[in-house]
Amino acid sequence: LLITASLFLFISFSLFSLSRIFVKVLFQELSEYMGLPKFNARLKDPFLSPYFEGIMPRDNPRDTRFAINFFTMIGLGGLTDDLREHLKNAPRQIMSRNI
């Protein structure tokens, strides 16, 4: 999983629907096997989180929104709670940097 996840530079604007289907099936299978709470904890694990930066992007609000919409659409919206919080707080963080 680590190798697979680190190879993704999120599929947000990729034209390859097969990539999106692969991520969908992979994440749904992992969620079913591990359970959503345990899988979510793995995604947030400080050791593992660098491998998921491309799948759960925080650097660009547009990519963050796409990830939220994608995972919500495939029934895994629970994985995006921290992304939603990040997106909600992003304008405040940007403003505090500019002051």
Side-chain angles (χ1 to χ4, degrees):
L1 174 64
L2 294 179
I3 295 170
T4 305
S6 66
L7 293 177
F8 293 126
L9 294 174
F10 197 60
I11 45 179
S12 65
F13 303 106
S14 169
L15 298 176
F16 303 112
S17 61
L18 289 177
S19 298
R20 287 188 282 255
I21 292 168
F22 175 74
V23 171
K24 173 188 172 189
V25 171
L26 176 67
F27 273 61
Q28 285 177 331
E29 289 290 323
L30 287 170
S31 176
E32 186 178 320
Y33 175 74
M34 298 171 73
L36 192 62
K38 187 174 181 181
F39 185 41
N40 202 7
R42 291 284 173 99
L43 290 173
K44 294 176 184 177
D45 183 294
F47 176 74
L48 299 175
S49 62
Y51 296 100
F52 297 108
E53 286 176 354
I55 294 175
M56 302 289 188
R58 297 172 186 273
D59 57 342
N60 182 338
R62 184 173 157 187
D63 293 341
T64 304
R65 270 192 232 77
F66 181 87
I68 291 168
N69 291 337
F70 176 78
F71 286 108
T72 301
M73 182 180 67
I74 65 170
L76 297 174
L79 298 178
T80 64
D81 292 340
D82 59 330
L83 284 180
R84 292 173 193 274
E85 191 66 29
H86 170 76
L87 194 59
K88 187 169 72 172
N89 293 327
R92 286 185 225 138
Q93 294 170 351
I94 292 170
M95 291 302 291
S96 67
R97 286 187 215 150
N98 292 335
I99 294 177

